[in-house]
């Protein structure tokens, strides 16, 4: 599964994004990583638009639903801190492949949950999938040169992020299709949950087969060959301590928390809100909720393009301040 792609010590980072090509390691990483991110976000929020059905089946009250929503995002904070150093040590290809495989387990587990407590535990574990964002950004950052890295990061992030919106719209349709075939609602939502789980397993093998860590090759192979990686001899923890001592890191963290925190909150509650507040059907509520995630298809990419252009003229600090407003 993790056969070495070989080493080319002279291969440079890509200085342009050839969107309709997958001929180079850089563009293969670009396309495979946004697809993997899309699948992860789809799986992360697959249960959210089905909560009206799940609420009825388990007899959940408002506090229990709130706990489930909190669990869905809480653990990703910790797993993201772990995944970064894992990328430094083992490379994004291996880290992403294992995250996809292991993350599929609690997704499948949701389909077999029979109690609120079991559902809560699996929902908590699924939050680890949110760490896919770290690997996605890591992988494109080491593949693309500074003149286009903002665009690359933002585009793969935005297209992958749209998986959350797709889950809102498509999961109720899958359930509706199963119910139309004569499947009971209680079994329908459980069967539908298998869709993102299977997609994650398939994507794990695609990632392992068609990507490599850097333009030169896999990190573990480069290190074994004595080839120095970007960042020199500084370790992951040394870089983390250096970043934590810079006030700009905390400014970016606060900005990201305010933006992305609102997004995942909306993903978790939008469909249920439309059902409870406006009496929409599950499919109509899902389609309405999916609009929020769909915005990521272009909004993030535009931010990355603007960031690269402003950074070219005025420096990276000015670009980040402008694009965070």
């Amino acid at each position: 599964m993790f056969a070495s792609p070989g080493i080319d010590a002279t291969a440079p980072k890509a200085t342009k994004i050839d969107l309709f090509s997958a001929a180079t390691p850089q563009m293969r990483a670009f396309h495979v990583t946004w697809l993997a991110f899309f699948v992860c976000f789809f799986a992360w929020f697959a249960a959210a638009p089905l909560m009206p059905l799940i609420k009825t089946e388990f007899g959940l009250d408002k506090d229990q639903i709130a706990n489930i929503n909190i669990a869905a995002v809480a653990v990703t904070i910790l797993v993201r801190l772990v995944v970064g150093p894992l990328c430094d040590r083992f490379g994004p290809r291996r880290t992403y492949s294992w995250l996809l495989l292991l993350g599929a387990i609690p997704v499948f587990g949701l389909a077999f949950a029979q109690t609120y407590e079991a559902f809560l535990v699996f929902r908590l574990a699924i939050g680890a999938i949110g760490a896919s964002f770290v690997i996605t950004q890591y992988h494109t950052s080491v593949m693309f040169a500074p003149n286009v890295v903002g665009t690359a990061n933002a585009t793969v992030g935005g297209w992958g992020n749209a998986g959350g919106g797709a889950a809102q719209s498509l999961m109720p349709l899958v359930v509706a299709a199963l119910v139309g075939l004569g499947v009971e609602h209680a079994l329908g939502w459980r069967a539908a949950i298998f869709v993102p789980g299977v997609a994650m397993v398939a994507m794990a093998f695609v990632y392992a087969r068609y990507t490599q860590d850097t333009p030169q090759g896999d990190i573990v192979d480069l290190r074994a060959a004595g080839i120095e990686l970007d960042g020199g001899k500084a370790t992951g923890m040394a870089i983390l301590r250096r970043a934590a001592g810079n006030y700009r890191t905390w400014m970016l963290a606060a900005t990201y928390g305010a933006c992305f925190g609102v997004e995942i909150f909306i993903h978790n509650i939008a469909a249920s809100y439309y059902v409870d507040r406006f009496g929409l059907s599950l499919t109509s509520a899902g389609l309405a909720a999916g609009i929020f995630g769909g915005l990521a298809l272009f909004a993030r990419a535009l931010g990355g393009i603007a960031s690269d252009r402003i950074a070219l003229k005025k420096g990276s600090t000015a670009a980040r301040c402008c694009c965070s407003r």
Side-chain angles (χ1 to χ4, degrees):
M1 180 176 178
F2 295 115
S4 173
I7 293 177
D8 180 1
T10 63
K13 292 184 177 182
T15 57
K16 66 176 182 178
I17 299 174
D18 191 359
L19 196 58
F20 300 102
S21 172
T24 64
Q26 294 91 333
M27 288 312 302
R28 284 196 296 274
F30 178 95
H31 287 299
V32 175
T33 199
W34 81 254
L35 281 170
F37 193 24
F38 184 97
V39 168
C40 285
F41 257 61
F42 192 103
W44 192 6
F45 295 105
L50 307 182
M51 283 307 296
L53 291 177
I54 298 166
K55 172 186 175 182
T56 300
E57 180 175 340
F58 291 156
L60 303 177
D61 58 34
K62 290 183 178 180
D63 288 339
Q64 290 173 320
I65 293 174
N67 289 338
I68 289 172
N69 289 337
I70 293 170
V73 299
V75 77
T76 192
I77 300 170
L78 299 176
V79 180
R80 286 188 179 200
L81 292 174
V82 173
V83 159
L86 288 177
C87 286
D88 286 332
R89 182 170 182 180
F90 300 108
R93 184 171 74 100
R94 288 170 172 80
T95 305
Y96 220 146
S97 297
W98 279 111
L99 180 68
L100 285 158
L101 283 175
L102 296 177
I105 296 173
V107 175
F108 290 129
L110 281 184
F112 297 99
Q114 299 296 325
T115 64
Y116 157 70
E117 289 78 12
F119 192 92
L120 181 66
V121 169
F122 286 126
R123 201 74 183 94
L124 180 69
I126 286 175
I129 300 171
S132 56
F133 174 74
V134 174
I135 315 174
T136 296
Q137 300 296 279
Y138 185 107
H139 209 167
T140 47
S141 292
V142 299
M143 284 292 189
F144 291 89
N147 66 308
V148 294
V149 71
T151 302
N153 285 350
T155 303
V156 298
W159 291 0
N161 230 163
Q168 302 285 343
S169 299
L170 296 179
M171 289 300 289
L173 293 176
V174 174
V175 174
L178 292 170
V179 171
L181 294 173
V183 177
E184 294 290 332
H185 280 90
L187 181 59
W189 75 261
R190 295 175 186 276
I193 289 293
F194 271 80
V195 173
V198 170
M200 289 184 69
V201 173
M203 202 67 228
F205 287 93
V206 171
Y207 214 100
R209 173 66 179 81
Y210 292 105
T211 70
Q212 62 187 57
D213 292 337
T214 72
Q216 296 81 27
D218 274 5
I219 285 175
V220 293
D221 299 323
L222 294 172
R223 190 178 291 118
I227 299 174
E228 189 172 281
L229 306 173
D230 284 350
K233 297 181 179 179
T235 65
M237 288 306 299
I239 294 172
L240 177 61
R241 285 193 295 269
R242 189 187 308 162
N246 190 320
Y247 73 92
R248 296 177 183 85
T249 300
W250 299 104
M251 291 175 64
L252 288 171
T255 303
Y256 182 65
C259 297
F260 188 64
V262 171
E263 179 183 354
I264 58 179
F265 174 76
I266 292 296
H267 279 323
N268 270 320
I269 62 95
S272 294
Y273 175 77
Y274 287 137
V275 171
D276 295 340
R277 179 68 176 83
F278 299 107
L280 297 185
S281 67
L282 198 67
T283 53
S284 296
L287 290 171
I291 294 172
F292 293 97
L295 293 172
L297 283 171
F298 64 88
R300 273 201 174 188
L302 291 176
I305 293 170
S307 179
D308 281 336
R309 291 186 177 181
I310 296 169
L312 183 63
K313 293 182 179 180
K314 298 185 177 181
S316 59
T317 301
R320 289 164 185 160
C321 290
C322 174
C323 293
S324 67
R325 287 174 185 154

